[in-house]
């Protein structure tokens, strides 16, 4: 046998080599498929923003995405509605002071104008705050000795309990800055010192907040009861740093009442501690977080703003040019929203075009069914997430579309999100709270202020009444303020009767 023939591989060796190459190629294909799936997942994560997911806007970084409105093209233009009175500063009929500015000489011939007839007047008003000066009121408790020998001393006014103390208006200002405007305790103390010359320490700020919160037990109990018996209520929760650890703020609210609580847990333990959901029997509007569904006595309405963001994420990860089931579902949902919003003007949901509504419901239904079928393989993390979304929309269609059959149910849960947004703003402005007790006091006073605002009561007046030991409750009168006078609302304000 020649040397050249000896170097050639045999048939069996070639066959074995082909098999090995085939196995290696299959392994390479599997690894490539896994790599592509991982790349898709990573690209999908990179596309996640506050506009297409539940991520907070603060996580968007410096390159924030352009805002995307849910408003459909051809609808009402953004801005105030036509005919809205606006908030322009207006003149008042009875100013506090009037200063006359007389001309001294004629601008034509230069003759003096003393005693000349007055033929007109132009009014210009300046709204300002007079110089602030703190006043000190001394209460002298006179003691007198009776002829029988017994000494009797005068009684101090209610609330005057120590030799020197801050008044109710200073307390209200402290609470307004600390709780209402989210200043830290030290910045609140600094503001009092610089604005009014009042020496206040950070510890005093905390003590004032603690005393104010202790007076709200009756208010909080009523707020809990009012939300619990309402036909529709909004629920939401958000993380809040307390004592260096993650806690959770829970919100339960209606159009007139707000109850904000804080707890170490996020789930049913915290919801039970808040006291509303365990006894609530109306329609609960919330996101699709599972613990809410454990309350089976409740009729659920899921937030469509959340699901639109989830659908937008599916749209953003779909290759250009391909039909997307999420786009069809989102378009159908927005069309239903537009028809329901137009229904009150046409006579309410009873006058809604049911055939047109049924057509959009069918488009929604077919889209989510297709989405569930297309992603049922769940071969990647992204596909599993999209499958879960499609199945949830398919199985909980009634909860998502409840706004189309019940006029009391809103399209989204934005009312609850507005409640807890203030909590995130506080954390952004002044950081976390140092103790759980301080966080509970903060949430109690925020519940009080949010409810007062919903009833048209200014923060400061509600805080003055709280500092005086008689917290505001709906139905009580409030004094006329300069803001009311400037807005021309004097006819709508009830003056309190003199004691």
């Amino acid at each position: 046998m020649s040397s050249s023939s000896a170097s050639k591989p045999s048939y069996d060796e070639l066959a074995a080599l082909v098999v090995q190459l085939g196995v290696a190629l299959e392994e390479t294909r599997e690894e490539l498929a896994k790599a592509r799936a991982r790349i898709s997942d990573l690209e999908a994560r990179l596309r996640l923003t506050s506009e297409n997911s539940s991520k907070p806007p603060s996580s968007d970084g410096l390159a924030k995405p352009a805002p995307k409105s849910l408003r459909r093209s051809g609808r009402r233009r953004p801005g105030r509605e036509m005919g809205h009175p606006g908030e322009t500063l207006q003149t008042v009929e009875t100013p506090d002071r009037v200063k006359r500015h007389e001309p001294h000489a004629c601008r034509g011939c230069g003759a003096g104008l003393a005693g000349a007839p007055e033929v007109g007047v132009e009014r210009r008003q300046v709204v300002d705050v007079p110089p602030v000066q703190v006043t000190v009121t001394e209460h002298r408790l006179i003691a007198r000795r009776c002829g029988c020998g017994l000494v009797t001393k005068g009684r101090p006014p209610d609330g005057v309990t120590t030799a020197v103390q801050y008044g109710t208006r200073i307390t209200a200002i402290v609470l307004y800055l600390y709780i209402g405007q989210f200043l830290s305790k030290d910045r609140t103390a600094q503001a009092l010192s610089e604005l009014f010359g009042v020496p206040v320490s950070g510890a005093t700020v905390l003590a004032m907040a603690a005393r104010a919160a202790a007076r709200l037990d009756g208010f909080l109990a009523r707020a809990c009861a009012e939300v619990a018996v309402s036909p529709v209520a909004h629920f939401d929760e958000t993380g809040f740093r307390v004592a260096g650890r993650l806690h959770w703020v829970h919100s339960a609210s209606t159009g007139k009442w707000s109850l904000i609580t804080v707890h170490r847990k996020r789930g049913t333990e915290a919801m039970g501690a808040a006291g509303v959901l365990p006894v609530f029997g109306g329609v609960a509007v919330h996101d699709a977080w599972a613990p809410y569904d454990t309350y089976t006595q409740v009729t659920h309405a899921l937030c469509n703003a959340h699901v639109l963001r989830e659908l937008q994420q599916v749209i953003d990860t779909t290759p250009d040019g391909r039909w997307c089931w999420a786009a069809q579902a989102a378009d159908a949902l927005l069309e239903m929203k537009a028809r329901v919003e137009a229904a009150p003007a046409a006579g309410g949901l009873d006058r809604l075009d049911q055939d047109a509504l049924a057509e959009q419901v069918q488009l929604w239904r077919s889209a989510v069914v297709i989405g569930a079928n297309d992603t049922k393989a769940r071969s990647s993390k992204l596909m599993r997430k999209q499958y879960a979304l499609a199945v949830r929309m398919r199985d909980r269609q009634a909860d998502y579309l409840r706004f189309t059959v019940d006029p009391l149910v809103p399209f989204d849960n934005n009312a609850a999100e507005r409640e807890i947004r203030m909590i995130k703003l506080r954390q952004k402005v002044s950081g976390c709270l140092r103790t759980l007790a301080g966080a509970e006091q903060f949430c109690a006073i925020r519940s009080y202020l949010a409810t007062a605002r919903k009833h048209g009561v200014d923060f400061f007046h509600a805080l003055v009444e709280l500092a005086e030991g008689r917290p505001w409750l709906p139905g009580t009168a409030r004094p006329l303020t300069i803001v009311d006078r400037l807005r021309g609302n004097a006819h709508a304000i009830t003056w309190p009767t003199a004691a």
Side-chain angles (χ1 to χ4, degrees), residues 143-210:
R144 296 188 182 275
R145 187 187 304 275
C146 179
C148 67
L150 185 65
V151 176
T152 302
K153 184 173 62 175
R155 299 181 60 183
D158 292 340
V160 180
T161 58
T162 61
V164 181
Q165 65 186 64
Y166 295 106
T168 57
R169 297 185 71 82
I170 287 182
T171 301
I173 293 172
V174 167
L175 295 176
Y176 178 82
L177 296 176
Y178 181 54
I179 306 294
Q181 299 299 330
F182 312 123
L183 269 65
S184 66
K185 59 182 177 63
D186 293 330
R187 290 171 61 194
T188 299
Q190 181 182 358
L192 264 291
S193 176
E194 294 180 352
L195 291 175
F196 309 112
V198 179
V200 177
S201 67
T204 300
V205 173
L206 296 181
M208 289 178 174

Side-chain angles (χ1 to χ4, degrees), residues 123-159:
R123 301 174 63 196
R124 299 185 181 184
Q125 295 184 348
V126 177
V127 180
D128 204 351
V129 176
V132 179
Q133 182 177 0
V134 175
T135 60
V136 178
T137 301
E138 180 176 283
H139 298 274
R140 298 181 178 180
L141 311 183
I142 308 301
R144 296 188 182 275
R145 187 187 304 275
C146 179
C148 67
L150 185 65
V151 176
T152 302
K153 184 173 62 175
R155 299 181 60 183
D158 292 340

Side-chain angles (χ1 to χ4, degrees), residues 337-458:
K337 175 178 181 288
R339 291 184 176 276
V340 169
E341 288 176 346
L349 292 182
D350 294 338
R351 302 291 299 275
L352 192 63
D353 188 339
Q354 295 300 323
D355 292 336
L357 181 63
E359 179 182 353
Q360 299 303 320
V361 173
Q362 181 58 36
L363 288 172
W364 155 289
R365 181 72 181 180
S366 61
V368 297
V369 169
I370 292 173
N373 290 333
D374 289 349
T375 57
K376 64 181 178 182
R378 290 168 282 181
S379 57
S380 66
K381 183 176 181 180
L382 176 62
M383 189 176 291
R384 290 194 295 271
K385 188 174 183 180
Q386 294 180 356
Y387 175 77
L389 170 62
V391 169
R392 183 190 345 127
M393 294 174 66
R394 180 195 66 193
D395 296 344
R396 304 197 65 176
Q397 174 179 314
D399 293 338
Y400 276 114
L401 305 185
R402 198 171 302 282
F403 75 97
T404 63
V405 296
D406 188 341
L408 297 179
V409 177
F411 175 80
D412 51 41
N413 196 30
N414 288 349
E417 293 190 0
R418 284 192 292 269
E419 299 283 351
I420 64 174
R421 188 177 298 134
M422 296 297 100
I423 305 300
K424 305 303 289 187
L425 182 58
R426 197 278 174 200
Q427 186 169 270
K428 182 178 180 180
V429 172
S430 298
C432 68
L433 288 167
R434 298 294 182 87
T435 65
L436 180 58
E440 291 172 341
Q441 295 160 9
F442 175 82
C443 290
I445 300 176
R446 283 302 310 183
S447 301
Y448 174 70
L449 293 179
T451 301
R453 177 61 55 83
K454 290 179 178 181
H455 285 82
V457 177
D458 294 335

Side-chain angles (χ1 to χ4, degrees), residues 27 78 118 147 175 190 200 213 229 239 276 310 320 328 344 348 380 474 478:
E27 291 177 351
E118 181 176 326
L175 295 176
Q190 181 182 358
V200 177
V229 300
V276 176
E310 294 178 282
D320 294 338
Q328 177 174 312
S380 66
R478 67 185 178 95

Side-chain angles (χ1 to χ4, degrees), residues 202-382:
T204 300
V205 173
L206 296 181
M208 289 178 174
R211 287 194 295 269
R215 296 169 178 152
L216 290 175
D217 290 344
F219 168 84
L220 295 175
R222 181 174 172 186
C224 180
E226 293 284 352
V227 177
V229 300
S230 63
V232 177
H234 296 262
F235 300 89
D236 204 356
E237 77 291 329
T238 188
F240 192 44
R241 301 290 296 182
V242 178
R245 299 182 60 183
L246 181 63
H247 287 61
W248 295 90
V249 170
H250 291 255
S251 166
S253 62
T254 66
K256 290 295 185 180
W257 290 88
S258 296
L259 180 65
I260 303 171
T261 58
V262 63
H263 200 273
R264 293 183 177 90
K265 301 292 184 180
R266 184 185 182 188
T268 54
E269 180 180 342
M271 296 174 182
V276 176
L277 275 170
V279 297
F280 184 68
V283 179
V285 185
H286 56 82
D287 55 25
W289 194 46
Y292 289 112
D293 298 328
T294 61
Y295 297 94
T296 56
Q297 86 283 1
V298 170
T299 301
H300 298 275
L302 296 181
C303 175
N304 285 296
H306 278 78
V307 80
L308 282 174
R309 289 196 292 267
E310 294 178 282
L311 291 172
Q312 186 61 47
Q313 181 191 351
V314 179
I315 296 171
D316 291 343
T317 55
T318 299
D320 294 338
R322 288 184 54 184
W323 177 85
C324 180
W325 66 269
Q328 177 174 312
D331 289 342
L333 186 58
L334 290 174
E335 183 61 29
M336 285 185 270
K337 175 178 181 288
R339 291 184 176 276
V340 169
E341 288 176 346
L349 292 182
D350 294 338
R351 302 291 299 275
L352 192 63
D353 188 339
Q354 295 300 323
D355 292 336
L357 181 63
E359 179 182 353
Q360 299 303 320
V361 173
Q362 181 58 36
L363 288 172
W364 155 289
R365 181 72 181 180
S366 61
V368 297
V369 169
I370 292 173
N373 290 333
D374 289 349
T375 57
K376 64 181 178 182
R378 290 168 282 181
S379 57
S380 66
K381 183 176 181 180
L382 176 62

